[in-house]
Amino acid sequence: MKKLILYSDQVPALRNTADKELKKLFNKPCPTIGFIPSASDRERRYYNDRKAFYTQLGMDLSVYFELDITWEPDRLNQLLACDAIHLSGGNTYYFLYWLRKRNIIPVLTKYVATGGILIGVSAGSILMTPDITTSSICGDEMIKGETDFSGLGLVDFLFVPHYGAWDFNLDNLKRYAREKQRVVYAARDTGAIIVDGNTVKCIGDVIKIG
C-alpha cells in the first residue's frame, strides 16, 4: 500500500495535524528519513533546517542524496534503506530533469511500491502527480527544450501548493482542471494531503477542484 504525504509547506500551524498523520504512516518509533534536494545545497542550509524539524517529531533525517552537482550514486542504497524519503521544494522542472537524468524515477516508484514512504514539500509534492505543469502557476520556469512534464504518477490528481500566496484565479484553476481532465487539489501552506493506500485525506486548508 502506497504511503505519501504532500505538504504545501511544513509550517508550525500544521503541528498536531499533518505531522501527527505523518507519524501514523510509520509502524516503528524513531524512523529514518532520506533527503533529496531539488538542487545542490552545498551549505546544507535547507537540509539542516529540515533535520531539526524532523528531530522534533522523533525522526532522524539521516541521508543527504544530491542529484546534480554532488552526485554520489554509491549512497543510493543508504537512501533506499530509510523508512521515508523527503523530496524538497524548489523548481519542479529542474528537479524532474535531474531525477530523469540520474534514472531515479523508477527507483522511487519501486520504493513506494515496496512500502517506502514519500514526503513531498511544494515541488516535491507536485512531482508525485501525473503532470507537473501546476508548478508554472507557482512561478517555476520551464527548462528550455523540455516537453515531457509527466511526474511520478503515484496519484491520479494534480496538486497546487501555496494557494493564496500567488495571484491565483479560481476560475483559471477550474479551467485548468477541465483541460487536464483531472481533479486538482490546491493547498495553502497550512494544508497537506495524506495518501494511505487508496485513501486520500485532506488536512487543513485544501480545496478540491473538479
Side-chain angles (χ1 to χ4, degrees):
M1 285 177 55
K2 61 186 173 186
K3 296 184 178 183
L4 318 168
I5 179 164
L6 293 77
Y7 284 94
S8 174
D9 198 2
Q10 290 174 320
V11 296
L14 278 173
R15 298 290 165 80
N16 299 318
T17 51
D19 298 339
K20 183 181 291 186
E21 293 293 328
L22 173 61
K23 288 183 177 181
K24 290 180 183 178
L25 293 179
F26 296 99
N27 58 4
K28 60 185 290 188
C30 304
T32 57
I33 302 173
F35 182 88
I36 305 180
S38 60
S40 179
D41 182 15
R42 289 185 177 184
E43 297 179 358
R44 304 292 194 270
R45 291 170 62 183
Y46 189 75
Y47 171 76
N48 288 329
D49 181 64
R50 291 304 86 198
K51 187 175 181 67
F53 170 84
Y54 284 117
T55 296
Q56 293 178 355
L57 297 177
M59 304 174 189
D60 181 18
L61 191 68
S62 57
V63 178
Y64 177 87
F65 189 75
E66 190 172 296
L67 300 173
D68 52 359
I69 296 175
T70 308
W71 166 240
E72 298 178 291
D74 290 345
R75 303 198 71 190
L76 181 59
N77 286 338
Q78 290 178 267
L79 178 77
L80 298 178
C82 293
D83 301 300
I85 294 175
H86 175 113
L87 303 176
S88 83
N91 185 302
T92 318
Y93 296 106
Y94 185 85
F95 204 168
L96 179 63
Y97 172 84
W98 282 102
L99 283 169
R100 284 188 177 140
K101 188 174 180 65
R102 303 304 190 191
N103 200 32
I104 299 299
I105 289 179
V107 174
L108 290 178
T109 54
K110 182 179 178 181
Y111 175 80
V112 170
T114 53
I117 298 170
L118 273 193
I119 304 167
V121 174
S122 190
S125 296
I126 293 172
L127 282 169
M128 297 187 204
T129 72
D131 186 324
I132 72 160
T133 55
T134 58
S135 58
S136 293
I137 298 172
C138 305
D140 285 1
E141 293 186 6
M142 295 183 181
I143 295 177
K144 188 176 180 179
E146 291 295 306
T147 57
D148 184 357
F149 305 120
S150 54
L152 277 67
L154 297 173
V155 296
D156 60 4
F157 57 81
L158 306 183
F159 185 72
V160 177
H162 315 305
Y163 183 67
W166 300 87
D167 187 20
F168 288 154
N169 182 302
L170 186 56
D171 288 335
N172 287 341
L173 282 180
K174 290 179 179 178
R175 189 177 304 112
Y176 178 87
R178 288 195 299 270
E179 289 174 354
K180 295 293 184 178
Q181 298 183 4
R182 297 275 187 183
V183 169
V184 176
Y185 287 98
R188 296 186 185 274
D189 285 348
T190 51
I193 297 175
I194 305 286
V195 177
D196 191 354
N198 295 320
T199 302
V200 177
K201 182 175 182 180
C202 295
I203 305 293
D205 297 321
V206 181
I207 62 172
K208 182 180 179 180
I209 303 163

